[in-house]
Amino acid sequence: MGRPKEFSREKTLVKAMELFRKQGYHATSIDDLVQELGVNRASLYETYGGKREVFAEALDIYTQGACLRMKAFLDAQKGVKEGIRNLFLASLQDMKSGPVSVGCLALNTTIELLPLDKEVKPCLLGHQKRIQGFYVDFIRKGMATGEIASGKDADAIAEFLYAFFAGLGVLVKLQPDEARLIPAIDEALKVLDGP
Amino acid sequence: MGRPKEFSREKTLVKAMELFRKQGYHATSIDDLVQELGVNRASLYETYGGKREVFAEALDIYTQGACLRMKAFLDAQKGVKEGIRNLFLASLQDMKSGPVSVGCLALNTTIELLPLDKEVKPCLLGHQKRIQGFYVDFIRKGMATGEIASGKDADAIAEFLYAFFAGLGVLVKLQPDEARLIPAIDEALKVLDGP
DNA sequence: AATATAATAGAACGTTCATTCCATAATGTA
DNA sequence: TACATTATGGAATGAACGTTCTATTATATT
């Protein structure tokens, strides 16, 4: 029935996500999307609705992908402290992605768009909740094995880790050489030490 | 010598700074500035040059003011750990500034503008360097009094504190109720404990 | 009072933006 | 093969943007 699409909805969304992550929402024009995705203007509007809708879907697939990858990454780790350290180092690499740092789309959106577009708030809050949930589960697992003192406040540590990670997402843009950030990460991980 | 200006250069810059801090660079139009500052279009261009220049100057006075206030705040504190805790709590209040969180202009700019406008980079890097310098001095002072173990890496802690504070600047926008952030802050301050 | 100088008010400019429209092309169905 | 349907290519649209221009107003100096 009718002419078939010449593009895959999912693949173009990934490209849009990468573009928004690199340039931000305002600095990415429809022309940019049309050029980069290779999708026609009219098709883009027919398929997604408009720029805002494309962004919303791109943000969705980003947060979903990030959560899935984080969960899989943590599940593959042995120790808690070492696992979170590896997670931070891997995330740093992901947020660098070449010479120019792209950071994290969820954090970038929190800064650039949240004050103006309240529609992204549920997505961003849900993302935070899921990520912190992973941290809590991971820390609790460490408490069960005895690596982490059981008297600690897993929720507070999870919120701390999310906040610190958000800080990394800012600093990696300002200063892409990770060498200086690693000592800071090791300081952060001290919250897992002691009683 | 011609007609006198009807506005003060400094006062309007402060207003511009507040506007950029609240809305971001892209979301703040010249019309917004003209309306909010009460300055005429032509006068604005005659005085500052253009939007980018207004923003650059606004960012400058923001970072300078932030540094001055931070230095004065820390100088008035007794203990190191308690002092930094008080600093974070006060900064949280500052970044909230009413029902809508405005965050920190330097951090917001790092996310929104740094990838597109390389001219802001020196200002942002200088700001980070100064802030971390204050942390280092403050920590060293604590080492001298014996509150902080002298074996600690002041530079690493300073970078950690800056990163964590940047994270607060993100989270305060996502979740303005500070009650949940305070336990996370107390976790962060544990880097100052122990040997 | 007359003049030079600088700021103001507001229209006007060209550009870029997101969005829509129209003619054309490519498929499934009859 | 003819038709209905959907996607495509590219021009067109109107609004918003940053910026500039012109006429007018207000002050300092002579």
Side-chain angles (χ1 to χ4, degrees), chain A residues 171 180, chain B residues 128-136 158-159 162:
Chain A
L171 259 66
R180 271 187 48 189
Chain B
Q128 180 196 15
K129 191 169 184 177
R130 262 173 289 157
I131 298 287
Q132 292 193 11
F134 292 148
Y135 283 136
V136 169
E159 184 122 344
Y162 191 82

Side-chain angles (χ1 to χ4, degrees), chain B residues 35-48:
Chain B
Q35 273 202 304
E36 192 72 19
L37 312 193
V39 176
N40 186 266
R41 269 189 154 57
S43 305
L44 195 148
Y45 277 87
E46 170 61 29
T47 306
Y48 303 104

Side-chain angles (χ1 to χ4, degrees), chain A residues 74-92:
Chain A
L74 286 185
D75 284 344
Q77 299 296 314
K78 294 171 195 136
V80 173
K81 193 169 176 181
E82 188 197 355
I84 292 181
R85 189 175 195 275
N86 289 338
L87 175 72
F88 280 175
L89 294 182
S91 300
L92 226 49

Side-chain angles (χ1 to χ4, degrees), chain A residues 16-88:
Chain A
M17 180 265 281
E18 289 168 350
L19 208 55
F20 281 128
R21 191 181 179 191
K22 184 163 60 185
Q23 306 184 341
Y25 177 80
H26 287 105
T28 302
S29 67
I30 295 286
D31 281 336
D32 289 338
L33 290 170
V34 167
Q35 272 202 304
E36 192 73 18
L37 313 193
V39 176
N40 186 265
R41 269 187 154 57
S43 304
L44 195 149
Y45 276 89
E46 171 61 27
T47 306
Y48 304 104
K51 187 184 179 185
R52 264 205 147 78
E53 285 79 8
V54 175
F55 181 84
E57 293 205 39
L59 180 62
D60 270 338
I61 66 162
Y62 176 82
T63 55
Q64 284 170 24
C67 282
L68 286 177
R69 274 181 283 120
M70 172 175 173
K71 178 100 178 68
F73 192 98
L74 286 185
D75 284 344
Q77 299 296 314
K78 294 171 195 136
V80 173
K81 193 169 176 181
E82 188 197 355
I84 292 181
R85 189 175 195 275
N86 289 338
L87 175 72
F88 280 175

Side-chain angles (χ1 to χ4, degrees), chain A residues 2-7 40-41 43:
Chain A
R3 184 172 170 175
K5 275 191 207 300
E6 291 178 3
F7 64 96
N40 186 265
R41 269 187 154 57
S43 304

Side-chain angles (χ1 to χ4, degrees), chain A residues 74-140:
Chain A
L74 286 185
D75 284 344
Q77 299 296 314
K78 294 171 195 136
V80 173
K81 193 169 176 181
E82 188 197 355
I84 292 181
R85 189 175 195 275
N86 289 338
L87 175 72
F88 280 175
L89 294 182
S91 300
L92 226 49
Q93 291 300 328
D94 173 63
M95 292 194 291
K96 274 176 50 181
S97 144
V100 58
S101 290
V102 294
C104 161
L105 184 59
L107 301 173
N108 298 353
T109 302
T110 301
I111 295 290
E112 188 193 350
L113 234 54
L114 186 56
L116 306 155
D117 181 358
K118 296 299 175 191
E119 290 187 35
V120 297
K121 194 168 188 182
C123 176
L124 297 174
L125 273 174
H127 184 65
Q128 180 197 15
K129 192 169 183 177
R130 263 173 289 157
I131 298 288
Q132 291 193 14
F134 292 148
Y135 283 135
V136 169
D137 294 343
F138 199 59
I139 292 166
R140 293 247 170 84

Side-chain angles (χ1 to χ4, degrees), chain B residues 16-92:
Chain B
M17 180 265 280
E18 289 168 349
L19 209 53
F20 282 127
R21 191 181 179 192
K22 184 162 61 181
Q23 307 184 340
Y25 177 80
H26 287 105
T28 302
S29 66
I30 296 286
D31 281 336
D32 288 339
L33 290 169
V34 168
Q35 273 202 304
E36 192 72 19
L37 312 193
V39 176
N40 186 266
R41 269 189 154 57
S43 305
L44 195 148
Y45 277 87
E46 170 61 29
T47 306
Y48 303 104
K51 187 185 179 184
R52 265 208 148 75
E53 285 78 9
V54 175
F55 182 82
E57 293 206 38
L59 180 61
D60 270 339
I61 65 162
Y62 176 82
T63 54
Q64 284 170 25
C67 282
L68 287 177
R69 275 180 283 119
M70 173 175 172
K71 178 100 176 68
F73 193 97
L74 286 185
D75 284 345
Q77 299 296 313
K78 296 170 193 133
V80 173
K81 193 168 175 181
E82 188 197 355
I84 292 180
R85 188 175 196 275
N86 289 338
L87 175 71
F88 281 176
L89 294 182
S91 301
L92 226 49

